[in-house]
Structures are given as structure tokens and as C-alpha cells.
Amino acid sequence: MAYPIIQFINTTFTYPNGTTILQDFSLTIAAGEAWAIIGPSGCGKSTLLYLIAGLYPPTSGQLLVGGQPLNRPRPKTGLILQDYGLLPWATVWDNAALGLDIRRFYGPDGKHAPINEPFCDKQTHVAHWLKRLGLDQLARHYPNQISGGQRQRTAIARTLVLNPDLLLMDEPFGALDALTREDLQRLTLELRGEGNLTTLIVTHSIEEAVYLGQKILLLTHPPTTRPLIIENFSAGGLDYRQSREFFSRCNRLREMLGNPT
Ligand code: ADP
């Protein structure tokens, strides 16, 4: 049994204006699992992700990530957003190397870099990930010289260069055309298979949730008190999208989103 990488234990989160998103909420996510989080706008998907990222503290109860209470963003957690967050004046290479440069600047202080992880050789490591993500020919290009899909690949490279064990993605492919989106969904599955990476993807797309989420967390109207989880263990197979099971899972999820119980 894999160890729990994320544990909400009777967690409540309320924004300063009084909007409560989670109320006495408990959920355990095991290392290596692939989760999708889906629900209508405003149900709290991004809030949940940002809590796990350590960007917001719980109001009460506990949230453990990697077995530790979170006081700040954790160096082993990667976060990928829809708008890529690339520096426009830096090349693909420099964007991908940014996190490593920041780590070297501060040193292994446990805030910016893990304490026990030796520094890798920057040139080799960045070159490896750019090649793995098909960006090696674009290393000297700037973000405005490459496509949206290539920008998101650069953002993924920048995160994976830091050797995360947990990858949080907030609508990462929402701004991309359908083919590029499918391409990056396949890449996400491949990357997960290559390392023991726990992935959580927030999405509006039923098909994306069923393709990528071995477990799907369905959120409805906040505050959420009990997690509604759909088990979808066939997810992860590259051919799953063409299967009858995939279509029936999508239909079931569509029904549940229309009529959650
Ligand atoms: P989703 O990602 O599912 O669309 P969010 O997590 O962004 O939902 O937002 C959940 C709810 O919290 C919404 O009602 C939103 O208006 C509210 N909310 C989000 N951010 C803040 C904030 N900084 N202060 C107060 N309320 C917020």
C-alpha cells in the first residue's frame, strides 16, 4: 500500500469574506495515484488545489502533504497553470532552468530546495527534459516565437526539472486546441508512468477527467463536507479513450454532474 501523500483531516477552509469552501473535510490521496477534480465553476476546485500547493492555509483542521503539515509551498510539489507563467524575455532554455537557478541561489534550505537532494548538473538535466518534451530544437526561442502547446510543454519542463513527487495542474490544457490538448494529455500519462509521480488535474472537461483520473473527485456546491469519489482504474491506458468503458464512464459522470447525490 502506497503511503498517503495528501491528507485532509477534518479540514475547514473559509475565505476572509466568509465564503466557506471546505467544511470538516477529510480525504486521503496515496502516492502515485492520478486524480482528476471536476465540478461546475465556483465549486472550489482551484481553492482545493491551492490549499494543497500551500498557497492558502487551512482555517482549521489539518492538511498534511508528504506527511508534514504545510506552512508554505513545498519544494517537491509542482504547480502548472493554464496561462503557462513563462518569462517573455527569457528563452525556452532559460525558462526551463529558472527553478534550478532559484534553488541554487537560496541553497537547500527546505523552502526553495529539498534539504536532502543533491544538486544535479544543470546543463545535463535541463537538456534531458527539453529533449523529453520535444523542445530541444526550440531551446533558443522566446515564448512569443512558439505555439501555445509548446509554451505549456516549456512550463511542464520547468516543473519536471525540479524533480517533483506531486504535480498539481489547474486547467492546464484549457486554452489549447483539441489536437494539442490530446497530445499533452497523452504526454501527462506517459510522464506519470515514467516516474512515481502523483498527479492532480483540475478540469472542466468530462472526457479529460475520465481519460486522466484513476480517481475522480466530484465537487458541487460549496461548502464540501464529504468527498464524492468515482473510481476509474482503467484510466491510464493510452487506448482507453477509444473503449466502450470510457464512453459509459463519461456518460455516468455527465449524469452525476447534472444530478449529484
Ligand atoms: P472553481 O475553481 O471551482 O471555479 P474557485 O476555487 O475558484 O472555484 O472558487 C470557489 C468559490 O470561492 C467561488 O465562489 C469564488 O467566488 C470564491 N473565491 C475564490 N477566490 C476567492 C477569494 N480570494 N476571496 C473570496 N472568495 C473567493
Side-chain angles (χ1 to χ4, degrees), residues 13-62:
F13 177 74
T14 303
Y15 278 111
N17 69 357
T19 307
T20 296
I21 306 297
L22 301 177
Q23 176 93 55
D24 202 17
F25 175 82
S26 295
L27 172 72
T28 298
I29 293 182
E33 287 183 340
W35 283 68
I37 304 169
I38 194 165
S41 279
C43 67
K45 302 182 292 299
S46 299
T47 306
L48 186 81
L49 209 67
Y50 296 164
L51 277 160
I52 298 168
L55 298 173
Y56 301 147
T59 309
S60 67
Q62 275 192 298

Side-chain angles (χ1 to χ4, degrees), residues 30-205:
E33 287 183 340
W35 283 68
I37 304 169
I38 194 165
S41 279
C43 67
K45 302 182 292 299
S46 299
T47 306
L48 186 81
L49 209 67
Y50 296 164
L51 277 160
I52 298 168
L55 298 173
Y56 301 147
T59 309
S60 67
Q62 275 192 298
L63 170 56
L64 309 181
V65 180
Q68 303 290 326
L70 272 184
N71 302 316
R72 62 174 76 86
R74 166 181 176 270
K76 295 284 282 179
T77 300
L79 179 62
I80 293 177
L81 306 171
Q82 188 180 115
D83 67 359
Y84 324 125
L86 301 180
L87 302 176
W89 60 84
T91 61
V92 165
W93 174 281
D94 288 337
N95 267 291
L98 179 70
L100 282 184
D101 290 336
I102 293 172
R103 282 193 173 177
R104 273 158 204 273
F105 180 81
Y106 287 101
D109 58 1
K111 294 182 194 166
H112 303 88
I115 289 172
N116 296 322
E117 199 169 277
F119 283 129
C120 55
D121 176 62
K122 178 174 143 182
Q123 296 295 322
T124 316
H125 205 56
V126 174
H128 164 80
W129 281 111
L130 290 186
K131 189 161 173 47
R132 173 64 189 88
L133 294 183
L135 296 165
D136 41 332
Q137 302 299 315
L138 301 173
R140 293 184 182 283
H141 286 59
Y142 289 87
N144 68 357
Q145 297 173 314
I146 59 177
S147 69
Q150 289 162 340
R151 280 181 216 157
Q152 193 55 295
R153 280 173 180 266
T154 306
I156 294 171
R158 182 181 55 190
T159 303
L160 295 181
V161 154
L162 297 176
N163 196 24
D165 59 8
L166 173 61
L167 192 57
L168 308 176
M169 298 182 276
D170 193 1
E171 295 268 358
F173 313 137
L176 302 173
D177 63 82
L179 284 178
T180 308
R181 187 174 180 139
E182 287 191 10
D183 184 39
L184 287 182
Q185 288 168 348
R186 255 192 315 274
L187 175 70
T188 306
L189 286 183
E190 290 170 9
L191 292 171
R192 210 185 67 223
E194 289 167 20
N196 190 29
L197 196 58
T198 310
T199 55
L200 268 73
I201 183 168
V202 161
T203 182
H204 274 113
S205 157

